[in-house]
Amino acid sequence: MPNPILFEVTRGPLVESAHRGAVAVANARGEILFSLGDVETPVYSRSSLKPIQALPLVESGAAEAFDLSDEEIALACASHSGEPMHTSRVAKWLKRIGCSEADLACGPHPLRHEATVLAMHDKGETPTRLHNNCSGKHTGFLTLAKHLGVPTAGYERADHPVQRAVAAALKDLTGLTGDLPTGIDGCAAPNFATPVAALARALARFADPSGLPPKRAAAMTRLVNAMIAHPDLVAGTGRSDTVMMRDAKGRAATKAGAEGFYIAVLPHDGLAIALKIDDGAGRAAEGAMAAVLLRYGAVPKGSETERLAHGPVKNTRDTVVGEHRPSAALLA
Amino acid sequence: MPNPILFEVTRGPLVESAHRGAVAVANARGEILFSLGDVETPVYSRSSLKPIQALPLVESGAAEAFDLSDEEIALACASHSGEPMHTSRVAKWLKRIGCSEADLACGPHPLRHEATVLAMHDKGETPTRLHNNCSGKHTGFLTLAKHLGVPTAGYERADHPVQRAVAAALKDLTGLTGDLPTGIDGCAAPNFATPVAALARALARFADPSGLPPKRAAAMTRLVNAMIAHPDLVAGTGRSDTVMMRDAKGRAATKAGAEGFYIAVLPHDGLAIALKIDDGAGRAAEGAMAAVLLRYGAVPKGSETERLAHGPVKNTRDTVVGEHRPSAALLA
């Protein structure tokens, strides 16, 4: 049974392209308040997993021991654009923990942010590991390794204490047992697959950590607040997470993942949202998430986020030739 | 009934993303030799329509009257990358017909080819309408308008003689009657929706024009031969059409369209292929087309085209973390 269509793109009188997927909204009691599609088959959440990947960093006391700022915590949860505001902060943080770019296990990769690409070209610079969108997450991993007193080398391997701590936190929060299906992410770190519903339940604890052990609850609150306080560091100029968190004004921490994953934590509502677009399209994941955020009143009507959900398709002459919009199923 | 999965992307032990779609292979007698999915609902073929959009240019005698080279005919069928080899030829062609960039109805748009982007940045240049990937198609439209002795202004409107000639050729070849559903393309020209099967049948006449009126048959042969002779002009450095046509060594003329459309004309086999990926993903359209070309022996095993069909997914450390591959349904 294929998943329902969540998002579509029209041109003239026809729907030109359509995106299927699954979405779940959960509360901290583990109740699924809304869902569409198959939310029980494990899928990779990719960078949407970052708030959970950063949980051991804060919960262990490493963040406190190394005096991490909220900006650094936000970068630990980021898929940043490699703009100077991102790379300069990651470089300083690395230095403070006695590490350098060479310790990062993520490879360099082309930047998304055109102005930075051109500025680097002008200076004859090429992308480094600092520019990898995951360099903050990796610096968080290194910080945890230092705090645990274990070797930093190999921190990206699934059997390293850092990654074992991530897997343990994820299993603990989801209630999943045994080995989770594991892939290697673009940045070389393991990515653990979970059902969409299970991830929504786990993230709902970030929205409402009441009843959890105080250290864990405090760590979750700090992570969510750091993301909400620094939308520009979690993503970058013009990016969807930056747009959504600015529009939400404290009502949502959001995190995109590659291949059409998206999550949001709604602390005022005690809810979390997780969704996966089957075909991996970012435009549909952004648009569907924007629609669900609107549904729960986490972003205002008329905001830029609403345009991610429902807006015009324009051609090179700036003529409106169609629209992108949530499906009837998602709006029902 | 959703279309079947045609292409998928794995990571570790799981299929991470999957692309549904429809594909049809037809011969010049109008027989469908192979199909998957719904090939009877109209969809936009976008730039895959270009060989048919260029048919009136050649069939009318305009190409001969203006002494168009095979390079120019290839550019009329192109979605080029805006590299100097493309823009310089379009500029010369425009001048020869007494037109200029200002006559092009397509807007400027960002280039795909990074080396050209950086070279233009160095010279302080910004994209012009010549850089629009459709500038060759539009110059073909202008050439036809000149030849018909009608005003060039407004040549992109559906009621202009140029666009009426395109619609007439398409209806004639597909056997479709009445008004075709019409959208406006990225370049401002109308794009006419047809069923995938109908477009495959129409294009099969390009592969085997025997029995057609001599002028039409000769025009079709010239268009296919011009595309095959100039794979670099039809797309650009590193692009899938360029790769496929080089690998096919005369056995296929291929043309990608936006939003997951792809067509191929196989003159040695008297066949044509048309496919649409439901979600609009180019990676899946390229990969599925590559798989069908392999199936018909139009490209050799071990070629770069085979890697488009079935190849590794690598991360930023150049580690193989998954693969992209045709679905079991497409290979069956």
Side-chain angles (χ1 to χ4, degrees):
Chain A
M1 175 78 173
N3 282 329
I5 291 169
L6 298 185
F7 200 72
E8 53 197 22
V9 181
T10 74
R11 180 173 300 268
L14 305 181
V15 172
E16 181 165 29
S17 298
H19 300 274
R20 295 174 181 276
V23 54
V25 180
N27 66 18
R29 288 190 301 279
E31 295 162 336
I32 299 296
L33 306 180
F34 171 74
S35 85
L36 287 170
D38 172 6
V39 296
E40 295 304 339
T41 298
V43 287
Y44 300 116
S45 48
R46 307 292 300 275
S47 287
S48 295
L49 190 62
K50 279 173 176 163
I52 294 175
Q53 287 174 308
L55 184 59
L57 169 70
V58 185
E59 189 178 11
S60 67
E64 208 180 337
F66 284 94
D67 200 22
L68 297 198
S69 65
D70 280 350
E71 291 183 349
E72 288 160 340
I73 299 288
L75 284 164
C77 300
S79 300
H80 65 70
S81 300
E83 296 171 67
M85 64 176 164
H86 306 116
T87 51
S88 65
R89 283 175 173 81
V90 173
K92 276 185 205 160
W93 176 10
L94 274 170
K95 195 170 175 191
R96 216 172 65 244
I97 63 169
C99 289
S100 74
E101 190 210 327
D103 294 300
L104 295 173
C106 50
H109 73 70
L111 305 195
R112 305 168 187 244
H113 186 244
E114 201 194 350
T116 303
V117 170
L118 295 176
M120 288 178 66
H121 169 74
D122 287 344
K123 292 187 222 160
E125 295 172 356
T126 50
T128 69
R129 296 177 185 190
L130 289 176
H131 294 91
N132 188 298
N133 77 79
C134 300
S135 68
K137 177 181 76 176
H138 281 251
T139 304
F141 288 155
L142 285 166
T143 305
L144 178 58
K146 290 270 184 185
H147 183 70
L148 297 175
V150 298
T152 53
Y155 74 83
E156 79 282 13
R157 291 203 294 262
D159 61 355
H160 186 279
V162 164
Q163 302 306 332
R164 289 214 307 263
V166 171
L170 179 60
K171 291 208 270 189
D172 203 22
L173 290 171
T174 56
L176 298 168
T177 54
D179 288 341
L180 306 180
T182 304
I184 301 173
D185 212 329
C187 67
N191 199 261
F192 307 106
T194 62
V196 167
L199 197 71
R201 284 190 190 99
L203 289 163
R205 305 312 304 267
F206 283 71
D208 173 9
S210 57
L212 290 175
K215 268 194 186 172
R216 170 156 292 183
M220 287 175 160
T221 300
R222 188 166 185 209
L223 283 158
V224 170
N225 288 345
M227 290 174 72
I228 284 173
H230 299 288
D232 48 345
L233 297 182
V234 174
T237 307
R239 301 263 309 281
S240 60
D241 282 320
T242 303
V243 165
M244 288 174 184
M245 287 194 276
R246 279 195 187 141
D247 283 341
K249 294 184 171 53
R251 286 202 52 184
T254 70
K255 187 68 202 76
E259 292 292 335
F261 214 95
Y262 224 113
I263 65 98
V265 173
L266 278 55
H268 292 209
D269 306 278
L271 304 177
I273 306 158
L275 65 86
K276 161 75 180 177
I277 301 297
D278 295 349
D279 59 68
R283 69 178 177 185
E286 290 175 14
M289 177 53 78
V292 182
L293 289 173
L294 280 161
R295 182 189 188 105
Y296 284 91
V299 292
K301 296 212 170 192
S303 63
E304 214 181 322
T305 300
E306 187 175 23
R307 295 274 276 196
L308 290 175
H310 197 157
V313 173
K314 292 184 177 181
N315 71 7
T316 55
R317 291 243 304 239
D318 224 29
T319 306
V320 174
V321 295
E323 62 176 1
H324 59 262
R325 64 191 187 199
S327 70
L330 191 57
L331 291 175
Chain B
M1 174 80 175
N3 283 327
I5 290 169
L6 299 185
F7 200 72
E8 53 197 21
V9 181
T10 73
R11 181 173 301 267
L14 304 181
V15 172
E16 181 166 28
S17 298
H19 301 274
R20 295 174 182 276
V23 54
V25 181
N27 66 19
R29 288 190 301 278
E31 294 162 338
I32 298 297
L33 306 180
F34 171 75
S35 84
L36 287 171
D38 172 6
V39 295
E40 296 304 339
T41 297
V43 288
Y44 300 115
S45 48
R46 305 293 300 276
S47 287
S48 295
L49 190 62
K50 279 174 177 162
I52 294 174
Q53 287 174 307
L55 184 59
L57 170 69
V58 185
E59 189 179 10
S60 67
E64 209 180 336
F66 283 93
D67 200 22
L68 298 198
S69 64
D70 280 351
E71 290 182 350
E72 287 160 340
I73 299 289
L75 284 163
C77 300
S79 300
H80 65 70
S81 300
E83 297 172 67
M85 63 176 163
H86 305 116
T87 50
S88 65
R89 283 175 173 81
V90 173
K92 275 185 208 160
W93 175 11
L94 274 170
K95 196 170 173 191
R96 214 171 65 244
I97 64 169
C99 289
S100 74
E101 189 209 329
D103 294 300
L104 295 173
C106 50
H109 73 72
L111 304 195
R112 307 170 186 240
H113 186 244
E114 202 194 351
T116 303
V117 171
L118 295 176
M120 288 177 65
H121 170 74
D122 287 345
K123 292 188 224 159
E125 295 172 355
T126 51
T128 69
R129 296 177 185 190
L130 290 177
H131 294 92
N132 188 300
N133 77 79
C134 300
S135 67
K137 177 180 77 177
H138 282 251
T139 304
F141 288 155
L142 285 166
T143 305
L144 178 57
K146 289 271 186 185
H147 183 68
L148 297 176
V150 297
T152 53
Y155 73 83
E156 78 283 11
R157 291 203 294 261
D159 61 356
H160 186 279
V162 163
Q163 302 306 332
R164 289 213 308 263
V166 171
L170 179 60
K171 292 207 269 188
D172 202 23
L173 290 171
T174 55
L176 297 168
T177 54
D179 288 341
L180 306 181
T182 304
I184 300 173
D185 211 331
C187 66
N191 199 261
F192 307 106
T194 63
V196 167
L199 197 70
R201 284 190 190 100
L203 290 164
R205 305 311 304 266
F206 282 71
D208 174 9
S210 57
L212 289 175
K215 269 194 185 172
R216 172 157 290 183
M220 287 175 160
T221 300
R222 185 164 187 210
L223 284 158
V224 171
N225 288 346
M227 290 175 73
I228 284 173
H230 299 288
D232 48 346
L233 296 182
V234 174
T237 306
R239 301 264 307 283
S240 60
D241 281 319
T242 303
V243 165
M244 288 176 184
M245 287 195 275
R246 280 196 187 139
D247 284 342
K249 295 183 171 54
R251 285 201 54 184
T254 71
K255 189 66 203 77
E259 292 291 335
F261 214 96
Y262 224 114
I263 64 97
V265 173
L266 279 53
H268 292 209
D269 306 277
L271 303 176
I273 307 158
L275 66 86
K276 161 75 180 178
I277 301 298
D278 295 350
D279 59 67
R283 68 177 180 187
E286 290 174 15
M289 177 53 78
V292 183
L293 290 173
L294 280 160
R295 182 190 188 105
Y296 284 92
V299 291
K301 295 212 170 192
S303 62
E304 216 180 320
T305 300
E306 187 175 22
R307 296 273 277 197
L308 290 174
H310 197 157
V313 174
K314 292 183 176 184
N315 71 6
T316 56
R317 290 245 304 239
D318 224 27
T319 306
V320 174
V321 296
E323 61 176 1
H324 59 261
R325 65 191 185 198
S327 70
L330 191 57
L331 292 175

